[in-house]
Amino acid sequence: YVPPWRRGGSEASSVRPEDLPRLTHRVSKALAQVAQSPVWPSTSFVIVVDDDTFVRVPELVAFLAARDPSRPAMLGSAVDTSPFLRSPGGPPSAHCGGGSGVILSRGLVQQLIPVLPKCLAAQRTTLSWYWDEVELGRCAWEHLGVNCSDIGEALA
């Protein structure tokens, strides 16, 4: 399988950054759509994962049952964001990355949606249109003071 953005070949060096999918925009749009859907009032958490991620639903539900969904929270595998920034500086932040996905509380999504357009326009990371988890994590930190909380072995 060769992804569509690698039409020039399967070598990573042949990929033009402009041809990468606009994942950050897609995820931002999906979050806004979920928040406007009929299921939103009963939604506690939103999970954003790659299509090749396996989720153990019973364990995840049990883990999240002890958390307050109205409290802004971003949960996952915490990764230092600084190597991805265009210009270093500011307090250190972490995004939920590594392909394992990110869990966003309803409280965070409600606060994040109004500031997403500013974040998308700022393009603070090197591939801001592609690295959705990095850009969303940086946005949550810069505008809302919410960092990724590492859940470590909690769901292992």
Side-chain angles (χ1 to χ4, degrees):
Y1 171 74
V2 177
W5 58 90
R6 286 197 176 175
R7 288 201 173 97
S10 61
E11 292 300 314
S13 61
S14 69
V15 177
R16 293 177 357 155
E18 307 81 44
D19 293 339
L20 293 169
R22 299 184 63 81
L23 295 176
T24 306
H25 291 269
R26 289 180 188 176
V27 169
S28 299
K29 183 177 178 181
L31 288 175
Q33 288 174 336
V34 167
Q36 295 174 5
S37 75
V39 300
W40 182 248
S42 63
T43 301
S44 297
F45 294 90
V46 175
I47 182 170
V48 179
V49 296
D50 290 349
D51 60 358
D52 60 352
T53 301
F54 181 75
V55 178
R56 296 181 357 213
V57 176
E59 288 83 355
L60 180 61
V61 169
F63 172 76
L64 294 174
R67 300 194 168 269
D68 178 0
S70 66
R71 185 171 173 232
M74 180 171 36
L75 310 166
S77 179
V79 178
D80 179 17
T81 301
S82 57
F84 300 96
L85 297 179
R86 290 181 187 268
S87 54
S93 69
H95 66 276
C96 297
S100 57
V102 58
I103 302 166
L104 307 170
S105 70
R106 181 181 63 240
L108 178 63
V109 173
Q110 288 172 322
Q111 292 182 23
L112 194 57
I113 289 173
V115 298
L116 281 174
K118 285 186 212 176
C119 295
L120 293 173
Q123 297 186 359
R124 295 266 289 126
T125 59
T126 53
L127 290 175
S128 60
W129 64 90
Y130 180 64
W131 287 331
D132 55 309
E133 71 275 11
V134 179
E135 197 63 23
L136 291 174
R138 190 65 188 175
C139 183
W141 173 247
E142 287 183 349
H143 292 273
L144 307 172
V146 176
N147 246 338
C148 178
S149 295
D150 197 305
I151 57 176
E153 298 296 316
L155 294 175

